[in-house]
Amino acid sequence: YEFWSRKGTRLFDGFAGIIGFITVLAGGTAIVVTQLMSVTSRIKEFAILKSTGWKNRHIFTNVIYESLTLGILGAIIGLGLGSILVFFLSTGNSPFGTASAIITLEGVLEVVAYALGLGILGGLYPGIKASRVRPVVVLKGE
């Protein structure tokens, strides 16, 4: 019995790892797409900022801060929904029955770390694209 129990636990951990990886991939992709759309729609704004003296690093940093904000907001919403789900599953008010799950400080810190990492990684390409805007070309309309 112990052998099958450990095997089932490893199998569950493997599935949880795969689902976690897919979730991180989807979250990162969502941040990149959102930031690319934002940068593309504000390309004239970046061109005007550069023509008035903003440096590439200022624009890049601005985009990174925006994507970090998206990542942190996603983490806060995810932690909130997860906490509600854990509460309902552990109190027995769920139609799925009861489950034993706890929220640890380590888990919360992992979520925040993933959010910060995804925010930075998700903002790199859009930030580079925004910082490389050539004001003359954009404002001329080419």
Side-chain angles (χ1 to χ4, degrees):
Y1 174 74
E2 185 177 326
F3 171 76
W4 294 108
S5 176
R6 278 186 280 144
K7 188 175 181 180
T9 302
R10 278 189 272 139
L11 184 66
F12 180 76
D13 287 345
F15 281 134
I18 291 170
I19 290 172
F21 176 75
I22 291 170
T23 304
V24 166
L25 191 64
T29 304
I31 290 175
V32 169
V33 168
T34 303
Q35 285 300 104
L36 275 174
M37 290 177 59
S38 173
V39 164
T40 303
S41 68
R42 299 182 327 174
I43 204 81
K44 282 188 178 183
E45 176 186 332
F46 293 128
I48 292 169
L49 289 173
K50 281 188 83 169
S51 66
T52 59
W54 277 46
K55 296 189 180 341
N56 289 347
R57 70 172 189 262
H58 295 135
I59 292 174
F60 178 78
T61 305
N62 190 0
V63 173
I64 291 292
Y65 285 154
E66 288 176 12
S67 58
L68 276 172
T69 303
L70 280 175
I72 292 297
L73 284 175
I76 291 169
I77 292 169
L79 284 170
L81 291 175
S83 299
I84 291 169
L85 183 64
V86 165
F87 174 76
F88 280 118
L89 286 175
S90 63
T91 58
N93 294 332
S94 167
F96 305 112
T98 60
S100 61
I102 56 172
I103 298 172
T104 63
L105 179 62
E106 181 182 286
V108 171
L109 292 177
E110 277 184 35
V111 168
V112 171
Y114 280 125
L116 291 173
L118 282 176
I120 290 171
L121 289 176
L124 285 177
Y125 177 67
I128 291 169
K129 184 177 177 182
S131 67
R132 290 188 177 168
V133 167
R134 293 179 36 205
V136 173
V137 174
V138 171
L139 296 176
K140 202 173 179 183
E142 293 179 2

